Amino acid sequence: MNDVPKRALLYGGALVAAGGLIAALAARSTDADVATLLNSADVQLRFAYGMPAADKQGQELPARTQMIADAVRNLEAVERLQPGLAVTAEFRGFAHMLRGDCLAAASAYARARDCGDCGDEQRDVLAFNQARMLARAGRGEQALAVFARHGAAIDARWPNQRAVEEAGILAGLGRGAEAERRLEDVLRAEPLDPVAALRAGQQFAALGRLDRAESAFASAAATEPIADYHLGRLKLQQGQVDTAMELLERAAAARPAEVRRLVANEPDAWRAVATDARFQALTSSRPAAPGR
């Protein structure tokens, strides 16, 4: 698995990495129909994932619902042709997640791990997704148990990602001190994982540990420029408007589209500077008018 899908899996919380498994099936002519069906399901589920679950009136989007249903029908066809594939069970988990049934998703991810064709790295990714779904369903203790059960294998590849995930679950259970200890593990790691440090900063901020959040964001910023956005957001909360704008400008120069998306998703966080000309110039999707 290359770095991009791995990061999407470990930090995104939803995407699946079945491309290699599908390609392996396609290489065997007897599995051509299975590979085609799985590719179709993959595309359908990813498109559905990229769509909002409901419109502005809170109504379900029929196109998204139909896309998920079509994907599930393709998966059912695969199961009839070649039962017991890990990728099919994983896609089933993805479909359950998209429908909001997190417990069913967790069960499907666990089932995928037990399939005979599931590789070691994919098992670790499935453990992450299983734990996430359990946590989202309000089963935090069970989620921690999943990580504890598979921790040794996971830590051989992704100890920092596991620490970040566990910290979020612990915080949700009201175990803030334990969560902070796990986040400190991330910041002490050598070499520093900048994406994990960025997420640690976000969690420190949510826990009210703004000093540690600032340190985490600053550590991540050298190689993850979007960390400057989060640090700027933090500085604005503290009333340091000029510093916040400088950091936002730096983040926007490196990641303009991502900054615009984040600002659009967090309007309240930037309300204090919403009418500031500098802020508007940085976050507008159109080029600023030339000065006189």
Side-chain angles (χ1 to χ4, degrees), residues 63-79:
R64 180 180 183 274
T65 301
Q66 186 62 52
M67 210 171 291
I68 297 169
D70 290 343
V72 169
R73 275 193 289 274
N74 283 328
L75 296 175
E76 290 169 345
V78 171
E79 288 165 350

Side-chain angles (χ1 to χ4, degrees), residues 46-262:
R46 288 175 187 271
F47 268 113
Y49 176 65
M51 300 169 68
D55 61 22
K56 292 182 179 180
Q57 287 71 45
Q59 298 298 311
E60 187 177 85
L61 292 177
R64 180 180 183 274
T65 301
Q66 186 62 52
M67 210 171 291
I68 297 169
D70 290 343
V72 169
R73 275 193 289 274
N74 283 328
L75 296 175
E76 290 169 345
V78 171
E79 288 165 350
R80 289 192 294 271
L81 290 167
Q82 192 169 339
L85 294 176
V87 62
T88 312
E90 183 172 11
F91 279 163
R92 283 281 206 172
F94 195 8
H96 286 307
M97 185 277 296
L98 291 172
R99 286 172 164 168
D101 192 344
C102 295
L103 285 179
S107 178
Y109 289 138
R111 190 164 61 253
R113 293 189 81 263
D114 293 333
C115 291
D117 65 331
C118 187
D120 291 341
E121 186 172 3
Q122 193 69 6
R123 284 194 182 93
D124 294 342
V125 170
L126 287 163
F128 271 90
N129 284 337
Q130 181 187 0
R132 286 190 183 106
M133 292 299 101
L134 287 169
R136 193 179 296 183
R139 307 286 181 89
E141 295 292 353
Q142 291 181 35
L144 292 173
V146 169
F147 277 129
R149 189 158 58 250
H150 306 297
I154 290 172
D155 284 354
R157 291 187 176 92
W158 307 307
N160 296 314
Q161 293 90 330
R162 178 191 171 203
V164 168
E165 293 291 338
E166 286 188 342
I169 296 167
L170 288 164
L173 291 170
R175 294 159 61 178
E178 293 174 75
E180 288 184 27
R181 285 196 290 273
R182 294 300 279 139
L183 296 175
E184 293 292 354
D185 290 341
V186 172
L187 299 186
R188 282 194 296 267
E190 292 289 347
L192 180 76
D193 180 336
V195 181
L198 172 60
R199 289 200 62 204
Q202 291 172 298
Q203 292 197 28
F204 271 127
L207 289 165
R209 288 297 311 276
L210 302 188
D211 56 333
R212 300 305 294 141
E214 181 174 344
S215 177
F217 291 144
S219 298
T223 49
E224 287 293 329
I226 202 62
D228 281 329
Y229 167 88
H230 296 282
L231 184 54
R233 186 180 185 276
L234 188 65
K235 291 297 184 182
L236 186 61
Q237 283 181 295
Q238 298 171 328
Q240 300 179 42
V241 176
D242 288 338
T243 301
M245 296 306 299
E246 289 171 8
L247 289 162
L248 184 64
E249 182 176 12
R250 199 156 67 193
R255 302 279 175 81
E258 190 172 0
V259 166
R260 288 195 298 269
R261 178 182 60 80
L262 288 168

